[in-house]
Amino acid sequence: FFLGGTDTVEFPIKFTPKYPGCYHCQIVLKSSCDIRVYEIECVVNADQADAQLEFLTPAYQAVTQEIPISNKSSEDWRFEVLLEGQCFYGPPVMNVPVGKTVPYPLTFKPVAEK
């Protein structure tokens, strides 16, 4: 259809999720001569995106912190992990199934005393 010199129409949608996750929606618009179906996917992240870790360990001794990663979405997650900084180690790949919490083992192995 055609509206006043433009071929677009604004269609505001208000979305108020209660929990983090992946939300799917289907919008069906019907008229006497046309049917349109729009698929919408909204991904909602938790409010607490920032975190800080402090490692205290005797000189030359490694310490590992288990970081819980919770998947409250409707799809399994697969992460490729890139660690930046000296002396930090962890698995390069992590899988978190739907509805599960999997700990990521982040290890700090100091090579010198600061």
Side-chain angles (χ1 to χ4, degrees):
F1 70 13
F2 191 72
L3 295 174
T6 179
D7 59 357
T8 62
V9 173
E10 280 191 37
F11 191 78
I13 297 173
K14 183 176 181 179
F15 177 65
T16 311
K18 291 185 179 181
Y19 305 103
C22 187
Y23 295 84
H24 299 272
C25 176
Q26 189 178 73
I27 298 173
V28 180
L29 301 175
K30 296 180 184 180
S31 73
S32 60
C33 59
D34 193 12
I35 297 176
R36 296 180 188 232
V37 179
Y38 295 92
E39 300 280 337
I40 296 175
E41 179 180 282
C42 298
V43 177
V44 179
N45 297 318
D47 291 338
Q48 300 172 357
D50 296 330
Q52 182 176 353
L53 297 175
E54 183 175 327
F55 290 87
L56 298 175
T57 183
Y60 307 108
Q61 290 187 20
V63 62
T64 299
Q65 173 71 50
E66 300 280 337
I67 301 170
I69 307 296
S70 296
N71 182 354
K72 296 180 182 177
S73 75
S74 60
E75 296 180 21
D76 291 342
W77 290 347
R78 181 183 185 279
F79 294 103
E80 291 183 17
V81 180
L82 173 63
L83 296 175
E84 295 182 356
Q86 296 179 346
C87 306
F88 287 95
Y89 304 91
V93 175
M94 180 176 188
N95 295 300
V96 185
V98 170
K100 300 290 183 185
T101 298
V102 176
Y104 181 81
L106 179 61
T107 300
F108 176 66
K109 294 181 186 177
V111 293
E113 194 174 340
K114 283 203 169 195

